[in-house]
Amino acid sequence: GLLVMKRVYVNEAWCLGCRLCEYNCAFANSGMKDMAMALKGKPIFPRIHIEEGENISFAVSCRHCKDPVCFKSCIAGAIHILNGVVQINQDKCVGCLTCVLVCPYGALAPGESGVMQKCELCLKNTCKEPACVKGCPNRAIVYEERSEVI
C-alpha cells in the first residue's frame, strides 16, 4: 500500500552547512521565548545534526520509520509511535544508548540531561512547521508529503 505523511526531507545539494537548522531546532525545543537567552554561550542540543563530508554537507534527523528499530530495541519502553511520529517519553528513558546504536540514520542523541532526544517534527512546541525547515535559508530542508510504498 501507500503511506502518505508529512516528513522532513533534506536536499543535500542545497545544504550550505550553516547549521542554522541546529540552532533553530535547539531554540524551538528550549521552551524559551528569546533565542539569545536560550542559546548564547551555551552548548546546544539540537535534534537535527549537520554531517559534513569532503564536498558535501547535509542535515540528519529522524525518518520516522514505519517499522522503527529504535522502538523495537528500547529496553525501557520509552519510545512510542503516535500517528506515525516516533517519540520518546523522556521520563521513561534510562539513557542506555541502545537506540543510538541501532538507528541506521544516526537520528538520536543524548540531550542536556543525558536523556535521549530526537526529532518529533516540532509537534510538542509552538512551531506551525518544524523549526529546521522554517529557519533554513536555502530551502535545503522541506516538510512535505511524499507517497512512499510500504
Side-chain angles (χ1 to χ4, degrees):
L2 281 181
L3 172 70
V4 181
M5 211 177 125
K6 275 190 126 175
R7 295 269 181 264
V8 170
Y9 295 97
V10 175
N11 182 347
E12 58 275 350
W14 296 354
C15 178
L16 302 169
C18 68
R19 300 188 181 268
L20 281 172
C21 56
E22 293 180 343
Y23 282 93
N24 281 290
C25 175
F27 174 52
N29 290 293
S30 71
M32 296 177 78
K33 288 185 172 30
D34 181 86
M35 190 181 231
M37 292 291 289
L39 306 180
K40 192 170 182 183
K42 301 175 187 167
I44 65 165
F45 295 90
R47 297 162 186 223
I48 188 168
H49 301 277
I50 293 293
E51 296 291 330
E52 295 187 62
E54 215 169 290
N55 297 309
I56 192 168
S57 57
F58 55 94
V60 174
S61 70
C62 180
R63 305 284 182 96
H64 300 280
C65 303
K66 181 187 178 292
D67 192 20
V69 68
C70 61
F71 167 73
K72 289 180 182 173
S73 64
C74 179
I75 63 165
I79 299 176
H80 60 279
I81 305 161
L82 184 63
N83 299 324
V85 179
V86 180
Q87 301 181 352
I88 297 178
N89 180 335
Q90 306 246 316
D91 296 330
K92 282 188 178 178
C93 176
V94 296
C96 70
L97 302 176
T98 302
C99 57
V100 174
L101 293 172
V102 300
C103 175
Y105 302 108
L108 297 104
E112 195 166 8
S113 65
V115 172
M116 293 303 107
Q117 64 179 27
K118 55 177 281 312
C119 170
E120 297 182 358
L121 300 174
C122 282
L123 297 178
K124 292 179 182 171
N125 59 40
T126 56
C127 301
K128 294 278 185 271
E129 65 177 330
C132 59
V133 173
K134 216 156 86 177
C136 181
N138 220 31
R139 291 194 38 83
I141 307 172
V142 295
Y143 184 52
E144 61 190 26
E145 287 182 3
R146 292 184 185 175
S147 297
E148 295 180 18
V149 180
I150 54 170

